[in-house]
Amino acid sequence: GQRPYREYPRTWVLRALDRAGFETPELVRRFPIIYGPNDLLKELRTARSRLGVIETRSGKAFAAALAAHIDDTERLARERLASLPGGKLSY
């Protein structure tokens, strides 16, 4: 089967550690993830590469709609990133 990459939310990790009996500091530093155009385009290429599987499982119309959405997302991402300092997005 397909297994997508997943990052766990910090709050979930802290709760899970607490329940497991680990001590966690009150103040946990946050290290932002910084995305540039290549990072976002790589994710969109990955989505495009799965369109064949999606078409097989969910039909041509759904895959075409998803492809259009990916194209719109790419256009919007390029526009927004171009307007940000350094052309990068921090999360």
Side-chain angles (χ1 to χ4, degrees), residues 1-73:
Q2 303 295 317
R3 296 183 70 193
Y5 170 75
R6 173 110 184 157
E7 290 183 9
Y8 296 100
R10 181 176 53 160
T11 55
W12 181 90
V13 171
L14 292 173
R15 278 194 317 268
L17 289 170
D18 187 52
R19 277 186 298 225
F22 289 92
E23 292 182 25
T24 56
E26 288 297 315
L27 177 63
V28 177
R29 289 186 62 193
R30 182 176 178 269
F31 296 94
I33 299 171
I34 299 173
Y35 295 101
N38 290 335
D39 302 309
L40 294 174
L41 295 177
K42 179 182 171 189
E43 294 298 324
L44 294 172
R45 278 194 302 275
T46 299
R48 282 190 184 98
S49 76
R50 306 307 302 150
L51 288 172
V53 172
I54 291 168
E55 183 176 329
T56 300
R57 292 181 180 176
S58 302
K60 189 173 275 192
F62 182 75
L66 184 57
H69 184 69
I70 293 168
D71 292 341
D72 290 343
T73 301

